[in-house]
Amino acid sequence: GQSLEQPSEVTAVEGAIVQINCTYQTSGFYGLSWYQQHDGGAPTFLSYNALDGLEETGRFSSFLSRSDSYGYLLLQELQMKDSASYFCAVRDLEDTGFQKLVFGTGTRLLVSP
Amino acid sequence: DTAVSQTPKYLVTQMGNDKSIKCEQNLGHDTMYWYKQDSKKFLKIMFSYNNKELIINETVPNRFSPKSPDKAHLNLHINSLELGDSAVYFCASSQERQGYSGNTIYFGEGSWLTVV
């Protein structure tokens, strides 16, 4: 089976740093992605890690450890607009040879003033 | 200019009815998807098409039938709607490249289906 676990909710204040963890158990692994979804909106791509280590994109960074089946999203200098749900997602391989994206349970981030 | 557009955005219908959701992408992608997001925000893939061919078909009741007339369109038809079908349905697309796994998936704004 496939499972990706994330904390259900994280709270923080503006300007702070927050880390959202993701542990996964999938039959195949072809990279870890992170998506952001505001209430009522569409999921949008944030980052992708194929190899171990840290990837930085502005205020957001994503980390992957394949040996630990673990990754995290780090959000720095939090802003109110960062309040949203964050999903980790793993690419897995289908029998057809095509890949599919399997999403985690999602973490709701609440940023307060 | 919307990259992935789906209609209708909101749909309220009675149990037993048949309804369709349409999706179009203007990104030139070769792969399109339907995802379902339930009330707990769990996002799960239902179907995927690559160049009009079905490549992913998760365990979905056969009341759900996707159709891809061309690679820019993927519609979802649902027969005999049930209360449990109430959810947000997201269409999405990506350009799949062999040997590369970082292909970004672009989602539409979602279609909010409520079955009463």
Side-chain angles (χ1 to χ4, degrees):
Chain A
Q2 301 157 328
S3 70
L4 290 88
E5 296 294 328
Q6 304 176 231
S8 59
E9 190 171 289
V10 173
T11 58
V13 296
E14 270 188 302
I17 299 173
V18 74
Q19 178 174 312
I20 300 174
N21 299 320
C22 172
T23 56
Y24 58 87
Q25 188 174 3
T26 56
S27 51
F29 179 81
Y30 297 86
L32 183 72
S33 300
W34 288 91
Y35 282 75
Q36 178 192 60
Q37 185 182 26
H38 286 99
D39 283 346
T44 55
F45 174 81
L46 286 178
S47 70
Y48 169 69
N49 292 68
L51 302 174
D52 292 350
L54 194 68
E55 293 280 343
E56 297 181 63
T57 309
R59 295 187 297 114
F60 295 0
S61 303
S62 56
F63 172 83
L64 174 64
S65 169
R66 287 173 296 172
S67 59
D68 296 321
S69 298
Y70 164 76
Y72 66 72
L73 180 69
L74 191 72
L75 298 88
Q76 303 182 72
E77 300 172 22
L78 279 173
Q79 301 175 9
M80 296 292 289
K81 67 178 182 180
D82 297 329
S83 291
S85 293
Y86 292 83
F87 294 87
C88 61
V90 165
R91 279 205 169 240
D92 198 358
L93 193 64
E94 287 280 287
D95 293 340
T96 57
F98 285 92
Q99 297 176 2
K100 69 177 180 184
L101 205 59
V102 179
F103 282 83
T105 50
T107 298
R108 187 169 177 82
L109 171 63
L110 300 170
V111 181
S112 56
Chain B
D1 283 308
T2 304
V4 182
S5 58
Q6 49 185 113
T7 56
K9 186 168 175 67
Y10 300 101
L11 184 56
V12 180
T13 189
Q14 289 189 324
M15 280 175 55
N17 284 350
D18 304 338
K19 290 295 177 186
S20 291
I21 307 172
K22 296 188 174 183
C23 179
E24 175 182 4
Q25 55 95 2
N26 62 8
L27 296 167
H29 290 163
D30 60 2
T31 304
M32 295 186 71
Y33 312 82
W34 278 110
Y35 279 84
K36 178 180 179 181
Q37 188 168 47
D38 61 22
S39 57
K40 294 183 179 176
K41 305 206 85 173
F42 184 56
L43 198 59
K44 184 170 169 54
I45 190 167
M46 300 173 68
F47 303 103
S48 177
Y49 275 73
N50 177 266
N51 284 314
K52 302 192 299 176
E53 287 200 23
L54 182 66
I55 56 171
I56 294 174
N57 186 352
E58 293 293 283
T59 309
V60 177
N62 56 17
R63 298 182 293 105
F64 290 78
S65 52
K67 276 195 173 53
S68 182
D70 55 63
K71 70 175 190 177
H73 295 84
L74 179 61
N75 304 323
L76 182 66
H77 188 75
I78 315 171
N79 288 329
S80 305
L81 278 156
E82 300 177 357
L83 293 177
D85 297 332
S86 296
V88 185
Y89 292 85
F90 285 99
C91 177
S93 75
S94 68
Q95 182 63 31
E96 294 300 299
R97 289 168 279 172
Q98 274 195 335
Y100 181 66
S101 303
N103 313 304
T104 299
I105 293 186
Y106 295 84
F107 285 83
E109 290 299 309
S111 294
W112 299 66
L113 172 65
T114 302
V115 182
V116 297

